[in-house]
Amino acid sequence: MDKVSGYEYVSFEVVEVPPPVAFFDENGENEPERAPPPSSPQLTEQEARQALLKHVTTRCCYGKGAARDMAITKIDHSCAFHYTLETFTEKRQTAWAFEPYFGGTVDNPSTDHPPGPWDIAATPSSSFTGSITQIEVPHTASIKTCHICGGVGRKRCFTCSGNGYEQCYSCHGDGYKNTLDGEHERCFRCHGTGRRRCWKCNGDGLALCKGCSGTGQIKCFIRLIVTWTNHIDEHVVEHSAVPDEKIKSGSGQVVFEEEDEKLWPVNHFPDTTINMASFQLVQKHATAFSAERILRQRHRVRIIPVATVHYQWKNHSNTYSVFGFEKKIHAPKYPQTCCCGCTLF
């Protein structure tokens, strides 16, 4: 291939192009001021009982009596924090490519100096959404004789191996078939020859070259592949018995959200665990994508209210949890269950 200034490293294998080093003065911007998060809602005893009764009706092996008659002794209120960090990046790769040449002008290196891989304009359709686009690098094209067919425009047919015919599928090459009466008669599809004209090359033994589409020439150029990726990390801070996966599924309230080219970690939440998680993830994303350029970052914190309900029923003392604004239930030790599939009252 021709040597193109600035692209001497390019081959037919895809090569990553590191982004230019961007200078970011951390002391040049002050840490943003942030309002304290709102307090979580409080659950009443009646709401806790109604939520459990509603949950019990969806479980065929749970009896309603315990939920109806249990004595609720205490309700502990807390909040689970679901922190999410998104980093939207752009990666650029280059490789030689070719396509059939059907005539027309060619943007070759003699017309102008090719722009650098990161100097070519490319914009994603939307932020924080992954996508890929391919662009021909300007001033890198040239016309070559097709390397697949040697400029002939046709190649030996792969279907018939260049013979121009293939074995008849009806008689399997015998030229004759057995009838229902047991007689031996000539195959009507191949007329007794045992072979048929190749459907691919129409009997010529040569098929159109896929590389040049029969023109004998190809246009070679450097292709720029731009990939936009949204990297997501999350962390759940939860001090109750509700599993993290259930907390993620529960409806919460987004109490904090920021978006910028580069973010400061969260540091204003009363639970220092969420502040530390934010600091660690922001630091991780700052160095994790060395071959990509960071375009935007976004993080948010969802608060999911959690109420731990202490109860007494007969000789059972235990707890269950009510979480999310839709008041989901986590009660793995519900005291009135059976395993036979019936409903208890």
Side-chain angles (χ1 to χ4, degrees), residues 45 48-49 70-77 307-313 316-321:
E45 180 178 327
R49 191 184 304 276
M70 67 174 52
I72 295 178
T73 58
K74 186 175 64 169
I75 301 178
D76 294 328
H77 295 93
T308 302
V309 183
H310 300 256
Y311 66 85
Q312 178 77 34
W313 183 72
H316 297 280
S317 295
N318 219 310
T319 63
Y320 67 91
S321 299

Side-chain angles (χ1 to χ4, degrees), residues 21-297:
V21 178
F23 176 76
F24 182 82
D25 184 5
E26 292 188 357
N27 298 320
E29 295 184 12
N30 295 324
E31 190 171 356
E33 295 184 3
R34 293 155 172 165
S39 58
S40 62
Q42 303 289 302
L43 193 70
T44 66
E45 180 178 327
Q46 182 181 2
E47 290 173 330
R49 191 184 304 276
Q50 289 299 321
L52 182 60
L53 282 169
K54 181 179 178 181
H55 174 75
V56 166
T57 58
T58 64
R59 302 292 189 272
C60 66
C61 293
Y62 280 26
K64 298 178 182 178
R68 184 180 60 241
D69 302 332
M70 67 174 52
I72 295 178
T73 58
K74 186 175 64 169
I75 301 178
D76 294 328
H77 295 93
S78 64
C79 277
F81 299 94
H82 183 196
Y83 174 77
T84 305
L85 172 65
E86 299 176 78
T87 298
F88 187 54
T89 64
E90 178 180 313
K91 179 173 66 175
R92 298 202 171 194
Q93 301 168 299
T94 55
W96 277 106
F98 67 90
E99 62 185 27
Y101 176 63
F102 298 105
T105 58
V106 175
D107 188 10
N108 56 51
S110 64
T111 58
D112 203 349
H113 185 75
W118 287 95
D119 296 329
I120 299 172
T123 306
S125 56
S126 61
S127 296
F128 302 101
T129 302
S131 60
I132 299 177
T133 188
Q134 297 184 355
I135 303 170
E136 177 182 335
V137 177
H139 318 311
T140 62
S142 60
I143 304 304
K144 304 289 183 183
T145 300
C146 180
H147 59 288
I148 298 177
C149 65
V152 178
R154 297 198 297 172
K155 285 198 67 179
R156 188 176 69 168
C157 178
F158 178 79
T159 302
C160 65
S161 301
N163 295 320
Y165 58 86
E166 20 177 16
Q167 180 178 284
C168 176
Y169 66 86
S170 182
C171 65
H172 305 291
D174 292 337
Y176 290 88
K177 295 181 63 178
N178 292 326
T179 65
L180 295 177
D181 298 332
E183 297 180 0
H184 207 51
E185 65 177 19
R186 189 172 63 172
C187 176
F188 73 94
R189 294 192 179 273
C190 65
H191 305 289
T193 62
R195 61 186 188 182
R196 301 189 65 193
R197 180 182 295 177
C198 177
W199 63 272
K200 183 72 174 180
C201 64
N202 199 29
D204 291 338
L206 295 173
L208 198 68
C209 176
K210 293 182 179 179
C212 63
S213 295
T215 65
Q217 291 183 309
I218 56 174
K219 184 180 81 168
C220 298
F221 59 93
I222 296 177
R223 175 176 288 157
L224 175 67
I225 306 166
V226 185
T227 305
W228 292 283
T229 306
N230 192 33
H231 302 276
I232 303 176
D233 267 314
E234 56 186 357
H235 185 82
V236 173
V237 177
E238 163 56 9
H239 303 294
S240 71
V242 183
D244 287 356
E245 291 305 316
K246 285 195 172 184
I247 288 295
K248 293 177 184 179
S249 68
S251 63
Q253 178 186 2
V254 177
V255 296
F256 170 79
E257 186 170 15
E258 278 184 347
E259 179 182 330
D260 207 339
E261 292 183 4
K262 186 171 183 178
L263 295 172
W264 289 85
V266 170
N267 62 356
H268 64 296
F269 274 75
D271 193 323
T272 57
T273 311
I274 199 70
N275 297 334
M276 182 58 67
S278 174
F279 177 81
Q280 292 174 347
L281 291 181
V282 168
Q283 291 297 314
K284 172 187 172 184
H285 280 215
T287 58
F289 319 115
S290 58
E292 305 169 37
R293 182 174 67 178
I294 296 178
L295 301 180
R296 302 287 293 177
Q297 287 187 308

